[in-house]
Amino acid sequence: MTDDEKTYIIIGAAAFISLLAWLLLVVIPAWKSYWRLRDRIVATVLSVYILAAFVLAGTGVGLAALWYFSDRVEL
């Protein structure tokens, strides 16, 4: 297994865990909080903003780590 394949597996696993956490911690409680279908759909759509915030926060932390440790990475 090459290093690229390991990287793709790790990225895929992280994406799966993140989506699962978003689904279990945000979407399901939002869906169960409302009775009408319209309200449930709106809550689900608005929770996509929370997912976007998670993605942006993770990207920011990753970029900050790369910026800080870029001199230690050998390419």
Side-chain angles (χ1 to χ4, degrees):
M1 182 178 289
T2 66
D3 288 340
D4 287 341
E5 291 172 341
K6 290 178 186 176
T7 301
Y8 293 141
I9 290 172
I10 291 170
I11 290 171
F16 175 75
I17 291 169
S18 298
L19 285 174
L20 185 64
W22 172 69
L23 184 69
L24 293 175
L25 297 174
V26 178
V27 174
I28 291 176
W31 185 266
K32 289 183 177 181
S33 295
Y34 298 100
W35 181 74
R36 283 190 263 171
L37 181 62
R38 179 190 67 197
D39 295 338
R40 288 180 171 190
I41 291 172
V42 168
T44 302
V45 169
L46 290 175
S47 70
V48 172
Y49 288 112
I50 296 171
L51 177 63
F54 286 161
V55 169
L56 287 173
T59 302
V61 169
L63 289 174
L66 283 175
W67 180 267
Y68 183 74
F69 294 111
S70 64
D71 58 336
R72 299 178 190 178
V73 177
E74 293 181 26
L75 296 175

